[in-house]
């Protein structure tokens, strides 16, 4: 089967990671796969492309060229997504609201059209958000959402049906045993740049500010974070791990006792699932993967108000005080994630595509 996938860019994100992982799996199953990416980046128009910084980015940016990805698939950088630049295939998959319009406008020879929806992408202004919502109602052959929560949101707000395939973790990345308790607690969290104009759904600024206050009161606690690029003037008391590889990230999770996800909303929230797979006690909102399979005080700790400092501090203190609770959560988290292996989820995805194949 010939499968095309269209990405808006090759930025280091959970969504891009999952898309590439799925394509790698499809390739391993003897499918002919190609990933298309506009070399200017999805949010770089032709005028901006003419500036020296943009030209330098096109030539030199490792982010643009996808060098951080360990991939076996064919990634093609093209001027823009069109019938001229995208080959004929059995399936072509859109991976974001912007790419959904590009794929929708391709000829039928490019294959059945699939919209892989990993988030409800209403982060922009009112005009852009209207286009985002309209994209979910385009007459695609198949829409796939990554969580029951996202599926329900699409149905309730837009009457847009979708198949649900939850994200998974490769079996090799799931620990066999829970973490061993220790006295010197380390709290980790994912650093994500602000993504919304009206409201920062990743809530990282709140998280950083309040974790600093918490550690000021509890100086024995160590703070760590990871992200694609360390911001300027980042707090010195927080250890920043920049652009880790997959193996390095696993080792990083292994050094963490409590993993805090400050997000107000997640389409899925891959870092939380990755942390659970490595036996961390995850604390965060009842959204994304935690809404899908999280059980408060059993395999995670759920917060009701993600902008309430007092509730956050109480949750962290509860986890820190009880080594037995952290170990119970660690054990149950590993057990839970074992039911969501990437291999099983990727096979589900592939079987849906095979049903759409055009002969």
């Amino acid at each position: 089967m010939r499968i095309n996938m269209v990405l808006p860019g090759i930025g280091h994100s959970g969504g891009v990671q999952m898309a590439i992982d799925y394509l790698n799996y499809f390739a391993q199953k003897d499918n002919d796969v190609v990933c298309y990416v506009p070399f200017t980046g999805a949010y770089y128009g032709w005028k901006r492309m003419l500036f020296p910084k943009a030209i330098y980015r096109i030539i030199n940016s490792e982010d643009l060229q996808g060098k951080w990805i360990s991939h076996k698939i064919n990634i093609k950088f093209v001027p823009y997504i069109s019938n001229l630049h995208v080959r004929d295939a059995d399936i072509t998959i859109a991976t974001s609201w912007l790419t959904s319009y590009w794929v929708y406008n391709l000829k039928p020879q490019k294959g059945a059209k699939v919209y892989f929806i990993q988030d409800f992408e209403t982060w922009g202004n009112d005009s852009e958000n209207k286009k985002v919502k309209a994209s979910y109602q385009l007459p695609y052959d198949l829409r796939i959402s990554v969580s029951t929560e996202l599926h329900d949101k699409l149905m309730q707000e837009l009457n847009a049906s979708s198949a649900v395939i939850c994200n998974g973790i490769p079996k090799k990345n799931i620990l066999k045993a829970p973490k061993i308790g220790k006295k010197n607690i380390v709290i980790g969290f994912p650093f994500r740049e602000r993504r919304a104009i009206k409201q920062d759904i990743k809530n990282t600024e709140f998280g950083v500010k309040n974790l600093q206050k918490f550690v000021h009161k509890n100086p024995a606690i160590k703070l760590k974070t990871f992200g694609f690029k360390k911001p300027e003037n980042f707090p010195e008391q927080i250890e920043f791990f920049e652009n880790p590889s997959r193996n390095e990230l696993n080792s990083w999770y292994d050094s963490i006792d409590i993993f805090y996800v400050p997000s107000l909303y997640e389409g899925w929230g891959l870092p939380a699932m990755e942390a659970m797979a490595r036996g961390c006690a995850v604390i965060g909102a009842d959204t994304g993967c935690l809404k899908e399979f999280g059980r408060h005080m059993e395999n995670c700790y759920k917060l009701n108000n993600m902008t309430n400092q007092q509730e956050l501090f109480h949750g962290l203190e509860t986890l820190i005080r009880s080594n037995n609770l952290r170990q119970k959560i660690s054990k149950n988290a590993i057990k839970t994630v074992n039911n969501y292996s990437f291999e099983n989820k990727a096979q589900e995805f592939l079987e849906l595509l095979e049903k759409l194949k055009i002969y």
Side-chain angles (χ1 to χ4, degrees):
M1 186 163 54
R2 290 161 65 89
I3 303 173
N4 298 332
M5 180 177 278
V6 179
L7 289 173
I10 302 288
H12 196 169
S13 69
V16 171
Q17 175 183 321
M18 287 307 305
I20 295 295
D21 285 347
Y22 277 128
L23 278 191
N24 272 323
Y25 182 87
F26 301 158
Q28 290 167 10
K29 296 297 180 177
D30 296 324
N31 294 287
D32 178 5
V33 303
V34 176
C35 179
Y36 292 92
V37 184
F39 63 67
T40 57
Y43 304 102
Y44 282 76
W46 291 107
K47 291 182 180 179
R48 292 186 67 180
M49 175 186 160
L50 297 177
F51 286 94
K53 284 186 178 180
I55 294 174
Y56 179 84
R57 178 180 182 270
I58 291 169
I59 297 171
N60 297 292
S61 172
E62 291 189 358
D63 176 21
L64 180 73
Q65 296 174 32
K67 292 181 180 178
W68 66 272
I69 299 171
S70 175
H71 64 269
K72 301 175 183 177
I73 61 173
N74 182 10
I75 297 181
K76 287 190 175 182
F77 290 91
V78 295
Y80 53 93
I81 305 302
S82 69
N83 291 307
L84 177 64
H85 299 104
V86 175
R87 66 174 184 168
D88 291 352
D90 298 298
I91 305 284
T92 295
I93 305 171
T95 57
S96 70
W97 78 267
L98 190 58
T99 64
S100 74
Y101 287 102
W102 300 342
V103 171
Y104 175 70
N105 288 320
L106 294 176
K107 292 180 179 179
Q109 289 84 352
K110 309 306 174 182
K113 296 172 182 178
V114 176
Y115 193 171
F116 180 38
I117 306 172
Q118 301 192 68
D119 214 333
F120 202 84
E121 299 180 83
T122 49
W123 310 313
N125 56 40
D126 291 341
S127 176
E128 183 177 288
N129 289 341
K130 287 181 181 178
K131 294 177 182 177
V132 171
K133 291 181 179 180
S135 78
Y136 302 136
Q137 297 176 309
L138 292 172
Y140 265 72
D141 296 294
L142 173 67
R143 285 183 289 265
I144 297 175
S145 55
V146 298
S147 70
T148 302
E149 180 184 23
L150 181 55
H151 165 275
D152 292 347
K153 190 176 181 70
L154 291 166
M155 282 297 296
Q156 291 165 6
E157 294 195 21
L158 302 165
N159 196 32
S161 63
S162 62
V164 176
I165 298 180
C166 298
N167 288 335
I169 297 291
K171 294 177 182 177
K172 65 179 182 179
N173 292 340
I174 304 174
L175 284 184
K176 305 299 182 185
K179 288 183 182 292
I180 299 173
K182 62 180 189 290
K183 291 183 178 179
N184 298 322
I185 300 296
V186 179
I187 299 174
F189 65 97
F191 181 85
R192 272 87 71 91
E193 297 286 353
R194 185 181 181 92
R195 297 179 67 178
I197 293 175
K198 294 183 177 179
Q199 186 179 39
D200 180 14
I201 61 171
K202 295 305 181 183
N203 202 30
T204 302
E205 184 177 336
F206 171 89
V208 170
K209 179 176 69 176
N210 286 285
L211 284 179
Q212 287 180 275
K213 291 179 179 179
F214 183 80
V215 170
H216 182 72
K217 295 180 179 180
N218 302 272
I221 306 297
K222 186 175 182 180
L223 296 179
K224 292 185 177 183
T225 189
F226 73 90
F228 180 67
K229 187 173 179 60
K230 183 177 180 178
E232 294 182 7
N233 304 316
F234 193 76
E236 293 182 1
Q237 62 266 50
I238 303 177
E239 182 182 310
F240 196 106
F241 192 13
E242 189 173 279
N243 195 23
S245 68
R246 299 287 182 86
N247 290 335
E248 289 172 337
L249 190 54
N250 281 340
S251 297
W252 186 90
Y253 283 123
D254 292 344
S255 72
I256 300 300
D257 302 285
I258 298 170
F259 188 73
Y260 165 54
V261 184
S263 302
L264 306 178
Y265 168 80
E266 291 280 355
W268 181 253
L270 191 60
M273 191 179 193
E274 290 174 340
M276 291 177 74
R278 305 306 292 186
C280 301
V282 172
I283 177 171
D286 185 30
T287 184
C289 69
L290 293 188
K291 190 173 186 69
E292 191 77 35
F293 53 61
R295 302 188 309 278
H296 180 57
M297 299 288 279
E298 292 293 327
N299 61 6
C300 66
Y301 189 103
K302 293 186 181 183
L303 299 169
N304 295 312
N305 186 342
M306 296 305 295
T307 59
N308 186 297
Q309 182 195 83
Q310 186 176 355
E311 185 182 357
L312 171 61
F313 284 12
H314 175 73
L316 292 173
E317 288 166 354
T318 300
L319 292 171
I320 290 168
R321 282 197 304 266
S322 178
N323 180 51
N324 289 337
L325 175 61
R326 292 197 312 278
Q327 286 194 293
K328 180 180 82 168
I329 289 176
S330 176
K331 179 181 178 180
N332 289 334
I334 293 169
K335 184 177 180 181
T336 298
V337 174
N338 263 302
N339 295 323
Y340 289 81
S341 74
F342 169 77
E343 292 80 3
N344 289 342
K345 298 303 178 182
Q347 185 59 36
E348 288 181 31
F349 199 138
L350 182 58
E351 288 172 2
L352 285 180
L353 298 185
E354 288 172 342
K355 291 178 181 179
L356 288 176
K357 181 179 177 181
I358 297 176
Y359 294 92

